[in-house]
Amino acid sequence: MRAITLLLTVALASFANSSNYSIVMPTSYCTLTSNVIYIELIKRLLEDLHYLNVVETSDGQNPSVTALQCTLDGLKQPLTLYTVDKLLKQVYKRKMSENSLDINPYSHLEGFLSRATFEVFMDKLIPGAAQLNPIAKLVLVGYRLTQEEILRLFRRAWIDYRVPNMFVLNRADDASIESCLLNPYRTEPGTIDERNLECEVIVDLKDVADYVEFVQQFLHDRVHSLNKFPLKIAIADIDLMSLAVRGPQGKIQRFTYLDGEIVEIMRQHLNFTTEFVILPSQLSTGFVYPNGSLGGSLELIENGQIDLAANSRIIHSYNCRNLQYLRQLTTTKLIFIVPQNYYNSRSRDRVFFNTFTWSFYAVNIILATTVPLLLKLIDRQNKFPGLMMHTLAVTLAVSTRLPTRIHARLIFSGILLYTIITYSIWQAIIIKRLNTNNDHLDDIQKIDELLDSELVPMIPVAYATFIQPARKEVQDQDIPYKKLSRKSSVAGNNITGAALIATMLASRSTAVMIHDLRAGVVKARFYDDERMQSLIHVIGEHVFEFYTAMALPKDSPLLEPLNEITVRCVEAGIVENELSRIQFKETLYMIEKNRDQHRMGLDAGARRFNLGVWKNVFYYYLVLNGLALVVFVLELIVHKRMKPLKKRRGEKELGPLRLRSKRRVKFAVGKME
């Protein structure tokens, strides 16, 4: 420890010499009563920190390096020494770096310590520390500051820069130290006066330990009991997520369901009042425009206009400098919904015109072609067309006249045995497929099918950030993702999800991305009362899966208590209970639809097959039957007209034969006589 102190002394001395300071360190300076109290108080206040930034300044009279040396002697934390100019340069450097855009919260284990004049505090130190870490402990050591100056320092820190953890140590005289803290939640927003200050004068070294315990309790109570302080909370009035509960005059009293219940629990535990900023559904979660600018609640958070964005959103690193998340509440999956029965004929093809059907009939045609050739080779008197029709009739299980020759009968007996077996197998396959749940055979089932179809995936602007073709983490093997990013289209920020779905059903040319928690409600709301089924099909395969959480500004001092409440809600099963309420509400929607049609329970267990896909086949069948009827009528007409002609022709041919027969009969009779 002595070596560290020596190194710090040498560093401070060399730093001061380089700045043309004349450092005089009297041995009695560090032993003054106020200095002893001040040094002990600093050590106790900063003992829980891991990083300490010490800013060296000079007020022109007392070299601050001397005071810092007395303070730093005995500190165990790693130290970073700055001048004011170097601190401001560090602020600019961090602001320009990409690290300022991450969603990691500021460290509570960092602190700033400086001794300077009132003007330096106001113009440089408070703005600089706020830019580097607004929630870090900021300890300002002043000399003979007035009460008004202390108030102005706290107004500067809280109202202008949202720095809550600032300590002002005022060396009023050589025998005491005045320590002042701020509680901004004792008055209305934008007001800092004597009611917000908690100042105490310490005159004895023995009082330091008790005062440090008081400070810890004060900091805990400050953020756990907000004294009815109004917090601005951005939230959407949407069913199943945060539905407004209104009073007799229509005034919103609270919100229910998942996000609304969590906000209500936070309000009760932290004792604050709510000023709800009601936003539409898409604006409540926020989004990023294609040009990189922010919209919705993200813009409000970035500008410090709200204290909490209550509608849980996907935890993602947006292009924000003032965004952080609470602990995750649940997970969400981004899925696509498509029009019901997009493929009108796929159920027909899969049930009847399946692979076995095509193979079965192909083999029958081959047999009908090859077997007559074989019989023709065996007996050249056989006629090929007749044999082909007989063979085809046997393979199709149609009654027909069999040949009389033995070898032909043996061949046809083998074909008949083959036909009985294969036709039974074909019937079994058809029956099995008809008894399978074919409700969604005509629907798109996977993301690959969606990408191969002619549907255009429509991405709401709130989810457009996740469908970017130039994302660095997308590798060459992520082919479906690249195909989706090329094929998809981002909807406008003023188009609601309901409008996108209505357009999808009207045009049947798009698919819409939603999150899975709303899938059941969407299916129930877009319902066909005549067919008793939803107009929407949900693709079960998800595109992305994320954690969701509420968001708040990065400089908010309420991160710790809000995180505690969030974790308790998850562990106590409140989140799971609210999710089950959402699922139960979806079931109630579907029951209501069925009850309105008085069909509840009538079709339980029934499996439907839509025969409408067979209309073209039926039309073809009717046409063929019509042609067959025409041919039959023509055959009757031809037969009726040809019968007398055949009769007369037969009589002409049989006339000489009959005359000869009569002569032979007469000759035979004459002989006998």
Side-chain angles (χ1 to χ4, degrees):
M1 192 65 209
R2 293 180 181 177
I4 297 176
T5 304
L6 181 58
L7 288 175
L8 286 172
T9 304
V10 173
L12 286 170
S14 61
F15 183 75
N17 288 332
S18 64
S19 302
N20 296 323
Y21 285 135
S22 177
I23 300 178
V24 179
M25 298 181 61
T27 56
S28 60
Y29 184 82
C30 295
T31 60
L32 293 175
T33 304
S34 60
N35 274 335
V36 173
I37 297 174
Y38 155 73
I39 293 170
E40 182 63 22
L41 182 60
I42 290 294
K43 291 179 181 178
R44 297 293 293 270
L45 290 177
L46 303 180
E47 64 183 359
D48 60 335
L49 301 181
H50 291 184
Y51 311 98
L52 182 60
N53 302 298
V54 180
V55 184
E56 185 275 329
T57 63
S58 176
D59 56 10
Q61 296 178 358
N62 298 320
S64 59
V65 177
T66 304
L68 287 176
Q69 173 59 30
C70 298
T71 306
L72 299 179
D73 189 17
L75 288 179
K76 300 179 180 180
Q77 293 88 351
L79 304 176
T80 303
L81 303 178
Y82 291 102
T83 63
V84 176
D85 294 336
K86 287 188 176 181
L87 179 69
L88 298 180
K89 290 180 181 179
Q90 183 68 16
V91 170
Y92 178 79
K93 182 179 179 181
R94 183 176 296 187
K95 184 185 295 186
M96 293 297 104
S97 66
E98 294 183 357
N99 294 332
S100 60
L101 300 178
D102 60 26
I103 58 176
N104 297 321
Y106 290 111
S107 175
H108 288 267
L109 304 177
E110 187 177 14
F112 294 87
L113 173 64
S114 180
R115 177 181 181 273
T117 61
F118 171 77
E119 291 75 14
V120 175
F121 288 153
M122 290 287 289
D123 299 334
K124 297 182 179 181
L125 286 178
I126 293 178
Q131 294 291 334
L132 290 175
N133 189 344
I135 66 171
K137 283 186 178 180
L138 176 58
V139 181
L140 303 181
V141 183
Y143 185 72
R144 297 187 184 277
L145 298 175
T146 64
Q147 191 75 4
E148 181 60 28
E149 288 177 335
I150 294 176
L151 279 174
R152 289 179 61 187
L153 288 176
F154 280 114
R155 291 193 188 104
R156 180 71 163 167
W158 175 252
I159 297 177
D160 296 343
Y161 293 100
R162 300 277 295 182
V163 177
N165 297 325
M166 189 175 76
F167 300 77
V168 176
L169 303 183
N170 184 24
R171 306 181 65 147
D173 51 47
D174 294 338
S176 63
I177 288 288
E178 181 184 19
S179 177
C180 293
L181 304 175
L182 175 70
N183 185 353
Y185 304 112
R186 290 178 177 177
T187 57
E188 61 274 8
T191 300
I192 298 295
D193 55 25
E194 291 80 1
R195 294 172 294 176
N196 302 103
L197 297 186
E198 190 71 33
C199 297
E200 185 169 342
V201 178
I202 304 174
V203 297
D204 194 344
L205 185 61
K206 298 179 181 179
D207 299 333
V208 173
D210 295 336
Y211 178 71
V212 171
E213 293 181 2
F214 166 78
V215 169
Q216 294 175 353
Q217 187 64 38
F218 174 84
L219 297 178
H220 177 272
D221 295 341
R222 182 179 64 181
V223 295
H224 285 80
S225 180
L226 303 184
N227 303 307
K228 303 296 181 180
F229 187 85
L231 296 183
K232 293 184 179 180
I233 299 178
I235 195 169
D237 185 8
I238 53 177
D239 197 8
L240 301 184
M241 297 304 295
S242 54
L243 183 64
V245 178
R246 302 180 183 273
Q249 288 78 26
K251 183 179 179 180
I252 296 178
Q253 296 179 339
R254 52 166 295 185
F255 283 80
T256 185
Y257 287 113
L258 178 60
D259 297 331
E261 292 295 338
I262 299 297
V263 170
E264 182 63 18
I265 293 173
M266 292 176 176
R267 185 192 65 80
Q268 294 176 0
H269 281 73
L270 300 185
N271 190 27
F272 60 82
T273 58
T274 52
E275 292 183 2
F276 292 116
V277 180
I278 308 299
L279 299 175
S281 177
Q282 290 191 139
L283 296 180
S284 65
T285 54
F287 51 84
V288 180
Y289 290 102
N291 60 1
S293 59
L294 304 176
S297 59
L298 291 180
E299 182 182 10
L300 298 178
I301 290 177
E302 185 73 1
N303 297 330
Q305 298 176 357
I306 58 174
D307 299 294
L308 178 68
N311 288 112
S312 53
R313 76 225 42 244
I314 293 171
I315 298 179
H316 181 74
S317 182
Y318 299 95
N319 188 25
C320 300
R321 300 181 184 274
N322 195 28
L323 173 67
Q324 66 179 353
Y325 295 94
L326 297 179
R327 296 293 180 87
Q328 61 268 16
L329 286 174
T330 181
T331 59
T332 187
K333 298 176 182 178
L334 296 184
I335 59 177
F336 276 103
I337 56 175
V338 295
Q340 184 84 357
N341 297 329
Y342 176 74
Y343 298 109
N344 291 326
S345 61
R346 191 161 68 172
S347 59
R348 176 193 64 199
D349 297 339
R350 291 192 177 184
V351 173
F352 294 97
F353 299 128
N354 50 66
T355 305
F356 184 83
T357 299
W358 290 112
S359 302
F360 173 65
Y361 283 102
V363 171
N364 290 344
I365 293 174
I366 293 174
L367 288 175
T369 305
T370 56
V371 170
L373 291 176
L374 178 63
L375 294 176
K376 185 71 174 177
L377 294 174
I378 296 175
D379 189 353
R380 295 185 178 275
Q381 296 181 358
N382 295 324
K383 296 182 179 180
F384 180 79
L387 289 175
M388 182 176 177
M389 297 302 297
H390 287 315
T391 307
L392 185 61
V394 171
T395 56
L396 296 179
V398 178
S399 298
T400 184
R401 182 175 64 86
L402 293 178
T404 57
R405 297 181 180 275
I406 296 177
H407 61 272
R409 283 180 172 270
L410 291 176
I411 294 175
F412 274 93
S413 298
I415 296 176
L416 186 61
L417 180 62
Y418 156 78
T419 302
I420 294 174
I421 296 174
T422 54
Y423 191 76
S424 301
I425 296 175
W426 180 77
Q427 284 184 323
I429 292 176
I430 297 300
I431 294 172
K432 179 182 178 181
R433 297 207 174 196
L434 282 174
N435 283 275
T436 307
N437 188 358
N438 299 313
D439 293 341
H440 302 296
L441 274 180
D442 290 335
D443 296 317
I444 298 176
Q445 302 291 342
K446 296 182 179 181
I447 300 297
D448 291 337
E449 293 183 18
L450 172 62
L451 298 179
D452 293 335
S453 69
E454 296 181 358
L455 294 179
V456 178
M458 295 299 297
I459 312 298
V461 67
Y463 305 139
T465 307
F466 315 118
I467 312 295
Q468 295 292 336
R471 281 179 57 179
K472 297 180 180 179
E473 58 267 29
V474 177
Q475 304 297 328
D476 294 337
Q477 62 267 24
D478 297 327
I479 303 300
Y481 178 85
K482 289 186 176 181
K483 192 173 182 180
L484 175 61
S485 64
R486 290 193 302 266
K487 189 176 182 180
S488 60
S489 177
V490 179
N493 62 304
N494 57 346
I495 302 179
T496 62
L500 285 176
I501 297 174
T503 304
M504 175 191 74
L505 295 177
S507 64
R508 295 184 66 88
S509 61
T510 60
V512 180
M513 175 180 283
I514 64 172
H515 63 80
D516 60 335
L517 293 179
R518 300 189 64 186
V521 177
V522 170
K523 289 184 65 176
R525 287 182 175 176
F526 295 90
Y527 196 80
D528 188 348
D529 294 329
E530 295 182 359
R531 292 188 175 184
M532 295 295 296
Q533 65 180 0
S534 177
L535 298 172
I536 289 172
H537 173 69
V538 179
I539 299 179
E541 185 181 2
H542 63 273
V543 185
F544 299 106
E545 185 174 7
F546 297 98
Y547 286 112
T548 61
M550 298 181 180
L552 71 166
K554 212 170 184 179
D555 55 5
S556 174
L558 302 178
L559 176 65
E560 181 180 354
L562 294 180
N563 267 336
E564 292 176 0
I565 295 174
T566 302
V567 172
R568 290 179 182 177
C569 290
V570 175
E571 293 177 348
I574 296 176
V575 174
E576 189 66 27
N577 178 68
E578 294 301 321
L579 293 178
S580 64
R581 284 185 63 193
I582 295 175
Q583 296 176 356
F584 183 66
K585 187 68 174 289
E586 297 171 359
T587 305
L588 290 181
Y589 275 129
M590 299 303 295
I591 292 176
E592 182 180 6
K593 294 292 184 181
N594 293 330
R595 184 186 62 188
D596 292 342
Q597 298 296 323
H598 306 287
R599 292 283 301 277
M600 194 164 123
L602 296 181
D603 295 331
R607 289 170 180 164
R608 304 176 184 176
F609 183 82
N610 185 12
L611 293 179
V613 300
W614 281 86
K615 60 181 181 180
N616 294 329
V617 177
F618 291 153
Y619 292 152
Y620 180 71
Y621 175 74
L622 290 176
V623 170
L624 291 182
N625 280 340
L627 292 176
L629 182 62
V630 170
V631 171
F632 179 70
V633 172
L634 292 175
E635 286 182 349
L636 290 178
I637 295 173
V638 170
H639 178 72
K640 187 175 181 181
R641 288 183 175 274
M642 293 298 293
K643 187 175 181 181
L645 296 177
K646 288 183 178 180
K647 186 175 181 180
R648 288 195 296 269
R649 184 183 300 173
E651 290 177 353
K652 290 180 179 180
E653 293 178 353
L654 294 176
L657 294 176
R658 289 176 181 175
L659 182 60
R660 292 175 184 175
S661 299
K662 288 180 181 181
R663 290 176 179 177
R664 288 177 181 176
V665 170
K666 289 180 180 181
F667 178 75
V669 171
K671 273 191 171 184
M672 291 175 64
E673 290 178 356

